Each structure stands twice: as structure tokens, then as C-alpha cells.
Amino acid sequence: MAAEPVLDEKSVQDTKQSPTNSDHDIEAGESQPGELHRGLQGRHMQMIAIGGSIGAGLFVGSGGALQSGGPASLVLGFIIIGMMLLATVNALGELAVLFPVNGAFFAYSVRFIDKSWGFAMGWQYAIGWLITLPFEITAAGITISYWHEYNIGIWIAVFLITLIIVQFFGVKGYGEVEFVLGIIKIVAVIGFIIFGIIVNCGGVPTDDRGYIGFRYWNGKDGNHAFRNGFKGFCSVFVTAAFAFGGTEMVGLAAAEAADPRKSLPKATKQVFWRIAGFYVVSLLIMGIIVPNNSEDLLGSSGANTKASPFVLAIKYAGVKGLPSVFNAVITISVMSVANSCTYGSTRTMQALAAAGMGPKWLGYIDKKGRPFWPVIIQMAFGLLAFVNESADGGTVFNWLLSLTGLSSFFVWGSICLSHIRFRQGWKHAGRSLDDLPFKSPLGVYGSYFGLFLVVICLMATFYVDLFPIGGSPNAENFFMGYIAAPIALALFAFWKVYAKDWQFGVRVEDMDLDTGRRDYADLPPPEAERKQSVVRKLSTAIF
């Protein structure tokens, strides 16, 4: 049998201490040398939730989805994936507030679903971010070609060195970088929405199209609301999943949050506004003012910002200078995602090692709270970006990225299933939902709905990979799109054999509901605590 995972030693110690000492440690965010530091404040957590994953998937990849599926399919696809994420993040919030352990959803899969499945999800997630980093660095370098054709190797080196410098500052460096870059991205998206409304109403003098309305949705001149029928609609899911990838990072950051009881519920509630405002509304506006039959959209992949539908929308309106500004935003967004890559992979690898599911040396944390060797490995993987100097670099990258193609769906489905299983175990233990410091507003039914949508999206993706748009079935394209599934099953089988763990699933009576659990019993509710803080400040000011 596999060894019981030691998911978070500090959290285990907290549960053994007196309530007073434990609560003090929780609220003060204190950490011991050689442990992950609780340096993420509420503002960091909220910005990670709102703007953490806004990047090339939204700003560039959406162009290909617009061309293949049409504007209506684009918006509906993002709404469906957004609903899935809303249920997933709320379920993750409930688990992470109660168990803010390192590894988050990987640890929950081990504890509530199956150890081997947790192993598979953990390593697939870590490897996915490892491989995504060189792609994002390359993408950032490509965005520079918008202004001038430089040797991409120069910019790969510049961006990689920048990321290495950020790592010196540990979790606070990650939090501050995401906070600043997140604000820039949010301002840019809001600005684009306002700009798009003005363009659509014919308020830009340099745009001779006048009032546009839903001209590009009416089926005339080669523009259609739904392009390529059902296949076109299904093709949007992969793009949307890539664009939303990283949303779950807020749960992963719980172990390094100063006060997860306060910051996590606020952060998860922000996800709705991010989905509705920053994704759905911006894509709706973009699909209204950009013709979906434009040949410029054919190159909308990777980080080809010259084919970004957001940049094209500004170009078609004839506004000078503004396309360069938005291209700079895309460059910043890609670097933000690269920063998240580093955080996601390093924390997951360290958690796997701490749980006995990886080499022990990967679990080492230095005095500044950094998982030292995982950071080194992640930075070394960044060097793969220089493969682009080779003539076959693009082919290599496509196959590497295919390893992570469906990993987001597996992770999100595992989070929903972990929440369902946790609720079953909590009920079986005779514990009340009133004892939970934070309950998902959507409840366990939201997790069932999220899991159902994950299955539907996997089926739709399978269909499109097997029968591609405008082509016949192709074995190479199918495996490139769906290879992540057999890899997940292979990892699952490997741990079953290696650990000689022949039990499938964790029985509700055997679920560990206490290791790493934070005890908030002696603390007032966040609202009451906030009011007490106000009273204390007023008393200090008066007396």
C-alpha cells in the first residue's frame, strides 16, 4: 500500500496545538524556517482569481475560435466553460478554506477519490505547467515581432532572466507581480469593452462602417453567427479551456495565504464577475465588431498578435497607435501566465514529494519559503524555448503542448468529484455543514453540474479531434489533441502497480477529515471580526 501522504506538516502541527496558538498562527500568517511562507494577502488572492489567467488564450486564441465557430458559438462556449469553472472554483474554495494544504486539488484527489488518481492528477498538472512555460516565453518573444522582426532568442533570454529574478522574492514576488500585471489586464479589457461599444455605435470618425449592430451575425457576406455547424460549436471548448486555464491557481495558493478564511471566499466570489465581464462581455463585443470571415483570423494561434481579434478590432476602426498599446498588454498578459506556470508547477511538485509521490529532494524548501529544486527544474524547462531556433521547433512544441491539452478538464472534474466525495464523508462522520467555515454557494449540486459539464466537454473535444473541421479523420491530429487522456490513465496505472495499491477509491469511512484542517472555532465570523476591528479603531482614535 502507498504511504499515507503528509500533505502539510505545518497544518498538522496547528491541529495539535492549543486553539489560541493555532489561531494566532493562522491569523498572523506566521511560518517556520524551511516551510512555505504565508505571504499572500487578500488583494493578491483576489487579483489571482480575477486576472490571473487572462492571457493569450483570450486575446489571441479567441480569434481562431471566432473563425471556426462564429461569434455566437464563441460566446456560448465560453459561457458553458465559465459555468463549469464557477461551480469548480466554489467547490475548491470550500475545500481550501477548511484544508489550506500544499498541493490543494492534488491532495484532495488523494484524500477523497483515490491515491493513484491523485498521483496522476498531480504529476499531469505539474508536467503541464513545466511544458507550458517555454511556450509562454516563446509567445512573449513573438509578440515583440509586432513592432520589429528581432531574433526571438534574444527576447526569450530576456524574459527567462526576468522570471528567474522574480523567483528570488518567493511567494511575495509572485503575488506582487500578479497584482500589478492583473490590474493592467483588467484596465485593458474594460477599456476595450468601452471602445468596442463606441465602434459598434459608429462613434469612431476613422471607421467608415458606421453603425455595425449585429451585421456580422446575419449570415451575409460569408459571416455567420454559427460557423461550421455543430463541429464549429464543439471546437470552441478547447480554446475556452485554454483561456480559463489557471483559474484553479487561487486554491493552490491557499497554503501560502495569510488568512484563507477571509481571502479565499472573496476571491472565489470574484470569479463570477471575471467570467461575466472580462470574458463573455469582451468576446461578445469583439464578435460584433470583427467580421468572422476575415482572412486575418486564420493566423490566430500561439501569440501571433498581428492576428489577435482584439488588435484587429482596433485596426479595422482605423485608430492609430492604439493597436501597439494593446499588443503591449498582450505581451504583459503572456508574461503573467508564464509567472503562474512557475508557481503552479513548483508548488505541485513540492507537494507530491512531501506526500511520498515524488523524489524526496523535490520537497526541500529553503529559508525564504521557496521550493528550491522545483524552481530550478522549472527554470531549466524554460530553456526549451530556444528550440524555436531550430527549423523543426514548431513541430516539437505542438507535440509537447498536446501532452497538456485536456489536463484542465481532468483537474476541474477531479475538484468537483473531490467536493462531492468530501461532502459524503463529512455527512458519514456525523458532522454538520454549519461547522464548515465556508460553504460553496452552489452546494454539492453545483459540483455535480460542473462534473457533468466536464464529461460533456470531453466528449465534444473527442468528436472534433476524431472528425476535424474541413478534413477527414487523421490519426496524428487525433492523438495530438487527445493524448493527455491515455497519459493520465498510464500515470494512474503506474502508481497502482508501484505502490501495490489494489483498492479502487477511498471509502467514506476511511476518509481523513482532520489532517491539515484549520480550526476556526474560537474565531468570530469574518463579518463580526470586521465590525470589532472598526470599533477598536474608533476607540483608539477617540481615547
Side-chain angles (χ1 to χ4, degrees):
M1 296 294 291
E4 287 294 327
V6 181
L7 299 176
D8 192 313
E9 295 180 1
K10 179 67 172 92
S11 298
V12 175
Q13 292 170 4
D14 285 347
T15 62
K16 297 179 180 178
Q17 295 173 349
S18 65
T20 303
N21 291 339
S22 178
D23 292 344
H24 174 71
D25 288 345
I26 293 167
E27 297 308 305
E30 296 177 358
S31 303
Q32 299 298 324
E35 296 176 344
L36 293 175
H37 289 182
R38 299 173 190 165
L40 293 176
Q41 303 299 321
R43 62 186 178 89
H44 298 140
M45 298 294 287
Q46 291 189 47
M47 198 53 64
I48 291 171
I50 298 175
S53 63
I54 296 177
L58 172 65
F59 292 137
V60 181
S62 58
L66 176 66
Q67 195 275 333
S68 62
S73 293
L74 179 66
V75 173
L76 287 175
F78 269 75
I79 288 176
I80 291 173
I81 300 296
M83 292 168 61
M84 178 200 304
L85 260 295
L86 187 62
T88 301
V89 173
N90 276 283
L92 180 59
E94 180 178 309
L95 293 170
V97 171
L98 189 62
F99 304 104
V101 295
N102 189 24
F105 32 84
F106 140 70
Y108 305 144
S109 294
V110 169
R111 187 178 297 192
F112 303 121
I113 301 177
D114 185 274
K115 292 178 183 178
S116 298
W117 185 252
F119 171 85
M121 289 300 95
W123 277 111
Q124 188 176 59
Y125 190 75
I127 292 171
W129 283 124
L130 280 174
I131 294 173
T132 303
L133 178 65
F135 171 77
E136 295 294 339
I137 294 175
T138 302
I142 293 175
T143 61
I144 304 299
S145 66
Y146 181 87
W147 295 289
H148 194 279
E149 293 291 340
Y150 293 99
N151 185 321
I152 191 173
I154 297 174
W155 289 104
I156 288 174
V158 169
F159 292 132
L160 185 58
I161 292 171
T162 302
L163 284 176
I164 292 174
I165 293 173
V166 172
Q167 302 315 304
F168 280 106
F169 298 95
V171 68
K172 286 190 176 181
Y174 165 71
E176 293 297 342
V177 169
E178 284 305 296
F179 181 76
V180 174
L181 299 186
I183 290 176
I184 295 173
K185 290 188 284 185
I186 289 171
V187 170
V189 172
I190 293 174
F192 177 82
I193 291 173
I194 296 172
F195 172 81
I197 293 173
I198 296 173
V199 170
N200 187 53
C201 294
V204 179
T206 54
D207 191 344
D208 58 4
R209 291 177 293 179
Y211 174 72
I212 299 174
F214 285 85
R215 180 186 308 173
Y216 302 130
W217 293 47
N218 60 13
K220 297 180 180 179
D221 302 323
N223 292 289
H224 301 275
F226 294 93
R227 297 176 64 89
N228 298 305
F230 183 66
K231 286 185 182 180
F233 175 71
C234 292
S235 69
V236 175
F237 290 132
V238 175
T239 301
F242 179 73
F244 278 115
T247 302
E248 71 288 336
M249 202 75 73
V250 66
L252 193 65
E256 296 176 86
D259 187 358
R261 183 184 60 135
K262 291 181 180 179
S263 57
L264 269 175
K266 290 181 180 178
T268 54
K269 291 175 182 177
Q270 298 291 336
V271 172
F272 171 79
W273 299 109
R274 182 179 115 193
I275 293 170
F278 301 124
Y279 280 88
V280 176
V281 175
S282 65
L283 290 175
L284 175 63
I285 296 298
M286 182 270 289
I288 289 175
I289 63 177
V290 175
N292 50 79
N293 69 338
S294 172
E295 294 184 358
D296 296 329
L297 294 172
L298 295 175
S300 298
S301 61
N304 183 8
T305 51
K306 293 181 180 179
S308 163
F310 288 80
V311 174
L312 290 175
I314 301 171
K315 278 186 174 181
Y316 293 162
V319 180
K320 303 290 185 180
L322 195 55
S324 291
V325 173
F326 211 91
N327 184 74
V329 171
I330 296 176
T331 305
I332 290 172
S333 300
V334 173
M335 283 302 297
S336 172
V337 175
N339 189 41
S340 296
C341 289
T342 304
Y343 185 84
S345 64
T346 56
R347 270 53 179 185
T348 304
M349 281 192 286
Q350 193 279 328
L352 284 161
M357 293 183 169
K360 290 183 178 179
W361 50 271
L362 285 177
Y364 171 70
I365 300 174
D366 64 18
K367 293 181 180 180
K368 293 187 177 181
R370 298 170 298 197
F372 182 77
W373 290 111
V375 170
I376 297 298
I377 292 173
Q378 178 69 89
M379 292 299 102
F381 261 78
L383 297 174
L384 284 175
F386 288 104
V387 169
N388 288 279
E389 295 295 310
S390 168
D392 298 325
T395 303
V396 173
F397 257 119
N398 286 336
W399 275 104
L400 286 175
L401 287 173
S402 68
L403 299 176
T404 67
L406 300 177
S407 60
S408 292
F409 287 126
F410 287 125
V411 168
W412 298 335
S414 296
I415 292 172
C416 291
L417 183 57
S418 294
H419 181 237
I420 294 169
R421 296 281 292 153
F422 159 73
R423 283 289 189 94
Q424 292 173 348
W426 193 258
K427 181 180 180 180
H428 183 271
R431 304 187 185 187
S432 172
L433 293 180
D434 294 333
D435 296 332
L436 296 176
F438 171 69
K439 294 187 288 290
S440 168
L442 303 178
V444 70
Y445 294 106
S447 295
Y448 276 112
F449 181 65
L451 184 59
F452 169 75
L453 288 180
V454 167
V455 174
I456 294 298
C457 289
L458 285 173
M459 293 171 62
T461 304
F462 182 88
Y463 171 66
V464 174
D465 287 335
L466 187 61
F467 302 102
I469 296 173
S472 57
N474 182 288
E476 181 178 348
N477 290 337
F478 174 75
F479 282 109
M480 186 175 289
Y482 225 78
I483 195 172
I487 287 178
L489 295 176
L491 289 169
F492 174 81
F494 167 79
W495 190 253
K496 284 291 181 187
V497 175
Y498 177 80
K500 298 179 180 179
D501 177 12
W502 309 121
Q503 176 181 322
F504 287 88
V506 179
R507 295 180 297 182
V508 290
E509 57 267 25
D510 296 333
M511 287 182 182
D512 181 3
L513 300 174
D514 294 310
T515 302
R517 179 165 62 89
R518 293 283 178 90
D519 185 8
Y520 303 103
D522 294 341
L523 293 174
E527 295 80 7
E529 188 175 308
R530 180 178 56 81
K531 292 178 181 178
Q532 292 175 10
S533 176
V534 172
V535 171
R536 285 195 299 269
K537 290 179 180 179
L538 286 174
S539 299
T540 302
I542 294 173
F543 299 106

